[in-house]
Amino acid sequence: QVLFFGFGWLFFMRKLFKDYEVRQYVVQVIFSVTFAFSCTMFELIIFEILGVLNSSSRYFHWKLNLCVILLILVFMVPFYIGYFVVSNIRLLHRQKLLFACGLWLTFMYFFWKLGDPFPILSPKHGILSIEQLISRVGVIGVTLMALLSGFGAVNCPYTYMSYFLRNVTDADILALERRLLQTMDMIVSKKKRIAVAHRTMFQRGEVHNKSTGFWGMIKSVTTSVQGSENLSLIQQEVDALEELSRQLFLETADLHATKERIEYSKTFQGKYFNFLGYFFSIYCVWKIFMATINIVFDRVGKTDPVTRGIEITVNYLGIQFDVKFWSQHISFILVGIIIVTSIRGLLITLTKFFYAISSSKSSNVIVLLLAQIMGMYFVSSVLLIRMSMPPEYRTIITEVLGELQFNFYHRWFDVIFLVSALSSILFLYLAHKQAPEKHMAL
Amino acid sequence: MAALDRVKVLVLGDSGVGKSSLVHLLCQNQVLGNPSWTVGCSVDVRIHDYKEGTPEEKTYYIELWDVGGSVGSATSVKSTRAVFYNMLNGIILVHDLTNKKSSQNLYRWSLEALNRDVAPTGVLVTNGDYDREQFADNQIPLLVIGTKLDQIPETKRNEVLTRTAFLAEDFNAEEINLDCTNPRYLAAGSSNAVKLSRFFDKVIEKRYFLRDGNQIPGFSERKRFGGGTLKSLHYD
């Protein structure tokens, strides 16, 4: 346990906060704690398969772990998020605590409301039982997971395969840069005119732009009508040009990135990743296909794929080997791989996301949000992993998590996965089509 | 009036240190009401009287180019930024007094701007072990400005100010510490204002008065412009 905590701490310090100072240690602690507990969950799964610890102690650990995670996820993190959001808004400085509590209560309210349309409520349990909380957290987490994996499934082949890379030559980049510099020059010359006009006005002792009172307004209208009209016109032109320069800058950055990727793909490492890209794309297509079938035929898998795969092999190819023995090991390996890759993928995505949108003001809030997302992600992946494990191991999870309709979760996951995959395909297609048109117009 | 000579000064620093507020304060003499992210580069112009109060007084445009982004960006973003770095006449390095890392990153910023065709690696820039000789050769005037002075409590001010004094010494530059939301710091006649106009005067001098013919190129501008530009001359 301590190991994971230390690891979480290290990761946090090094990667996420490379450029900013950590102001509040509470944030750091919370993030590391969340991370540590999520990892222990996975550790427990692995122990489950390997049969390392005593059965009852495992059960106990599971329960404890779950309680703590749920507590953190549902109570502490939203509270702190509310607190930090409120402290960012400068108006409400005095009554920080009050507003934070208010925000938290609204959050809890929406949280309960979420449970209503779904067939999760079973009349046997009370309101604050663990099952209720897990069910809700599970719903949100599953939605998130499906969205992310849908998008990732489509984005992954798009990024890796060099088939999709547009051809960018140096001449293109130079042309675009020249346009950018020309725009900047135009902005500069217009600003010079404004500055000069301001200075002459100031030197002549005329009234500044801010009009004082009614008479002031009328006076400024009649006397300096020409000067200020010109100025506001120029100012509008400057604003438009600045917007244009921003766009050009972003396009240039995009082109540079593409060129870099082209160069990278020519190296050996690039070729290796290219090959992996093909492999992944096939896998992603297969997943989408399976999701469609699941929905269309309204079927939920009862046995896990590994056992089924082995059964098929045994039946068709007539190879005789001990099914139980092999299935155990293979499923263990697969589960391990899934866990590791999903953790790694999640951390990488979070880091990129964090760099893209962080600033020193809102960094605390973002870290907390990330911790929350991560916790939910892990909880729901435990739920879903249940599907890929052979039936003997399912018992303990079912025991611990109580009565939940697992089938429902799987269907929900498939639906959202399909929706997000399709929408991201559409989105990428549109983006891809737009870019070459823009370059043609140069 | 539009035919005044111009001088280009780059304003560099990490995200969120207050470059845009600073530029706005310098050029419009007003505090920036709604600071938001700078994407790409934003330029503003200040009219400066060189050698004010003497018979050689002349007015110049000073263009302040405020480039957004962080030192840790991908190489593609860096090479996009590099397009703004040519024909530099001066650099203003901005750091946040409440954030130590922004001061440390200033070394990398200056190297990025001065060595436009050498990607700065991690070797040179850990905690001040950098090569002072690089800066000794530098002809471009630097100014170090620390922002958010108001957010430092009185007790810690001394140690922060000594730290920044070391920083400025490393760069062989002047330093100013201020708060961008308070125009009082740059009021005419204050020592900050004097330092600022001295800096601008130095920039103008280097640009227009100290050599014959074309501008002194930066570190390795040769590569960009092909052969034929002057090497940097040494003045003893």
Side-chain angles (χ1 to χ4, degrees):
Chain A
Q1 249 103 335
V2 184
L3 217 108
F4 281 125
F5 186 78
F7 187 64
W9 188 285
L10 250 173
F11 171 74
F12 184 79
M13 282 310 286
R14 269 199 306 160
K15 294 272 190 80
L16 285 187
F17 263 87
K18 244 192 338 181
D19 289 331
Y20 301 109
E21 258 182 22
V22 177
R23 209 77 76 87
Q24 311 258 19
Y25 282 106
V26 182
V27 173
Q28 203 172 351
V29 165
I30 291 186
F31 187 80
S32 318
V33 164
T34 322
F35 188 73
F37 278 114
S38 326
C39 287
T40 26
M41 273 210 303
F42 283 121
E43 200 183 343
L44 282 172
I45 293 186
I46 296 187
F47 282 169
E48 187 60 40
I49 297 185
L50 286 183
V52 168
L53 291 175
N54 205 0
S55 163
S56 54
S57 83
R58 270 205 302 253
Y59 185 62
F60 173 68
H61 271 284
W62 265 111
K63 277 271 180 206
L64 181 70
N65 217 357
L66 270 174
C67 286
V68 174
I69 285 195
L70 282 178
L71 217 81
I72 293 183
L73 274 186
V74 178
F75 291 112
M76 281 183 34
V77 177
F79 179 69
Y80 271 113
I81 288 183
Y83 182 74
F84 279 120
V85 163
V86 166
S87 52
N88 266 342
I89 308 177
R90 288 191 206 173
L91 302 172
L92 308 166
H93 238 296
R94 311 277 167 66
Q95 297 137 329
K96 262 195 270 204
L97 227 62
L98 209 68
F99 271 101
C101 283
L103 264 177
W104 182 54
L105 284 175
T106 16
F107 177 76
M108 293 303 288
Y109 179 66
F110 277 121
F111 203 50
W112 289 132
K113 274 280 178 182
L114 236 109
D116 285 341
F118 297 116
I120 324 174
L121 280 166
S122 76
K124 284 192 268 183
H125 303 283
I127 289 234
L128 271 183
S129 65
I130 290 192
E131 285 78 12
Q132 293 272 352
L133 288 179
I134 291 189
S135 60
R136 282 173 174 78
V137 170
V139 164
I140 301 183
V142 165
T143 321
L144 224 86
M145 256 189 84
L147 277 174
L148 278 180
S149 41
F151 181 68
V154 174
N155 199 23
C156 175
Y158 182 71
T159 327
Y160 277 139
M161 291 184 4
S162 49
Y163 177 68
F164 284 118
L165 280 182
R166 302 186 292 276
N167 236 350
V168 171
T169 62
D170 277 339
D172 288 342
I173 294 187
L174 278 180
L176 206 60
E177 280 180 359
R178 215 176 314 132
R179 263 184 79 184
L180 181 60
L181 284 179
Q182 275 175 4
T183 321
M184 301 303 299
D185 280 333
M186 276 163 49
I187 295 181
V188 167
S189 60
K190 290 205 160 39
K191 286 217 162 150
K192 283 179 188 168
R193 280 165 63 186
I194 296 183
V196 163
H198 270 152
R199 194 175 207 209
T200 47
M201 268 170 53
F202 187 67
Q203 278 173 348
R204 274 192 242 147
E206 276 186 20
V207 87
H208 205 259
N209 272 342
K210 292 202 191 108
S211 52
T212 51
F214 195 58
W215 276 125
M217 259 170 42
I218 296 201
K219 241 205 299 191
S220 65
V221 161
T222 51
T223 52
S224 54
V225 124
Q226 269 183 352
S228 51
E229 254 186 30
N230 260 345
L231 275 188
S232 59
L233 203 65
I234 302 184
Q235 185 64 39
Q236 279 175 7
E237 288 177 16
V238 165
D239 289 336
L241 280 178
E242 281 188 337
E243 191 58 45
L244 178 64
S245 77
R246 276 190 275 264
Q247 295 279 3
L248 284 177
F249 180 78
L250 289 176
E251 272 183 40
T252 322
D254 211 16
L255 280 189
H256 273 282
T258 321
K259 176 164 154 227
E260 199 180 297
R261 263 167 49 199
I262 293 182
E263 281 177 16
Y264 180 71
S265 73
K266 294 198 182 118
T267 67
F268 186 62
Q269 231 185 356
K271 288 211 174 79
Y272 172 67
F273 273 121
N274 201 14
F275 177 68
L276 273 188
Y278 281 120
F279 188 64
F280 269 133
S281 58
I282 297 180
Y283 174 68
C284 298
V285 167
W286 179 74
K287 269 186 88 169
I288 296 182
F289 189 58
M290 291 300 291
T292 333
I293 289 190
N294 275 343
I295 296 179
V296 167
F297 290 121
D298 200 16
R299 172 186 72 105
V300 177
K302 287 275 168 148
T303 62
D304 68 310
V306 177
T307 328
R308 238 163 21 118
I310 294 184
E311 277 172 12
I312 294 179
T313 344
V314 166
N315 286 342
Y316 285 172
L317 301 182
I319 301 180
Q320 304 288 338
F321 54 85
D322 194 2
V323 175
K324 267 198 137 14
F325 176 69
W326 278 105
S327 72
Q328 192 174 345
H329 279 254
I330 293 184
S331 60
F332 164 63
I333 293 178
L334 262 186
V335 165
I337 291 182
I338 290 180
I339 290 177
V340 168
T341 42
S342 69
I343 289 186
R344 185 176 158 274
L346 184 73
L347 287 180
I348 289 182
T349 321
L350 287 185
T351 324
K352 271 200 284 190
F353 192 61
F354 186 76
Y355 270 148
I357 67 174
S358 74
S359 72
S360 54
K361 262 179 135 184
S362 54
S363 54
N364 286 333
V365 178
I366 291 183
V367 168
L368 286 176
L369 272 176
L370 289 183
Q372 172 115 6
I373 291 180
M374 189 176 65
M376 288 186 171
Y377 187 83
F378 282 137
V379 167
S380 46
S381 54
V382 166
L383 279 181
L384 290 174
I385 272 186
R386 186 186 153 274
M387 180 170 156
S388 349
M389 294 203 319
E392 343 36 285
Y393 304 124
R394 291 191 192 171
T395 47
I396 193 167
I397 294 192
T398 332
E399 239 179 76
V400 168
L401 294 179
E403 266 182 45
L404 290 175
Q405 319 281 59
F406 286 110
N407 302 336
F408 164 73
Y409 282 118
H410 291 305
R411 279 206 59 203
W412 181 247
F413 178 81
D414 285 331
V415 168
I416 303 254
F417 179 76
L418 201 66
V419 166
S420 86
L422 286 178
S423 51
S424 41
I425 286 182
L426 198 70
F427 179 69
L428 280 176
Y429 180 67
L430 282 177
H432 188 61
K433 275 211 94 178
Q434 263 191 15
E437 280 172 7
K438 263 199 262 191
H439 288 297
M440 287 310 145
L442 265 184
Chain B
M1 250 309 211
L4 292 181
D5 288 326
R6 46 189 284 244
V7 150
K8 175 170 163 180
V9 173
L10 210 53
V11 178
L12 294 178
D14 280 345
S15 290
V17 297
K19 303 186 288 293
S20 309
S21 312
L22 176 73
V23 167
H24 199 258
L25 183 64
L26 285 179
C27 297
Q28 317 279 350
N29 287 322
Q30 278 174 0
V31 175
L32 186 59
N34 52 334
S36 66
W37 261 22
T38 324
V39 175
C41 168
S42 88
V43 193
D44 218 341
V45 170
R46 177 181 161 112
I47 300 188
H48 178 71
D49 296 317
Y50 174 58
K51 292 213 168 137
E52 192 166 359
T54 68
E56 297 156 353
E57 174 173 345
K58 194 173 170 201
T59 350
Y60 286 90
Y61 285 125
I62 301 194
E63 301 169 13
L64 293 166
W65 290 56
D66 159 24
V67 176
S70 69
V71 248
S73 317
T75 340
S76 60
V77 181
K78 283 193 184 154
S79 29
T80 325
R81 277 209 294 261
V83 87
F84 297 123
Y85 294 161
N86 24 340
M87 315 282 282
L88 270 194
N89 300 122
I91 304 183
I92 297 185
L93 295 167
V94 186
H95 67 109
D96 186 354
L97 288 172
T98 58
N99 184 350
K100 274 190 216 158
K101 290 213 177 123
S102 65
S103 340
Q104 287 167 3
N105 282 336
L106 282 185
Y107 297 109
R108 293 166 71 184
W109 274 116
S110 51
L111 284 175
E112 182 180 329
L114 294 174
N115 295 0
R116 254 181 316 110
D117 48 5
V118 173
T121 57
V123 178
L124 283 172
V125 293
T126 44
N127 297 328
D129 305 342
Y130 72 108
D131 195 359
R132 231 179 247 234
E133 293 179 3
Q134 298 249 5
F135 286 101
D137 201 18
N138 181 26
Q139 302 285 358
I140 300 184
L142 302 172
L143 175 68
V144 174
I145 295 191
T147 54
K148 306 196 188 166
L149 184 62
D150 55 323
Q151 291 181 17
I152 302 190
E154 287 292 338
T155 49
K156 286 205 188 159
R157 263 196 203 182
N158 273 334
E159 69 175 75
V160 166
L161 289 179
T162 34
R163 181 167 53 89
T164 54
F166 278 131
L167 185 72
E169 217 180 275
D170 277 342
F171 285 114
N172 196 15
E174 294 272 351
E175 68 149 349
I176 296 181
N177 293 317
L178 47 68
D179 169 18
C180 292
T181 61
N182 191 347
R184 177 172 63 87
Y185 282 94
L186 288 177
S190 64
S191 66
N192 286 339
V194 168
K195 282 187 199 167
L196 197 64
S197 54
R198 257 217 312 255
F199 170 69
F200 286 140
D201 284 345
K202 201 159 132 192
V203 170
I204 294 178
E205 262 177 30
K206 286 248 157 88
R207 164 77 174 88
Y208 284 106
F209 291 116
L210 285 183
R211 72 291 160 291
D212 37 297
N214 19 7
Q215 187 198 358
I216 299 178
F219 259 13
S220 359
E221 221 156 321
R222 295 193 291 274
K223 201 166 179 190
R224 189 114 171 168
F225 285 80
T229 8
L230 294 174
K231 284 185 77 148
S232 54
L233 305 169
H234 285 284
Y235 298 102
D236 285 329

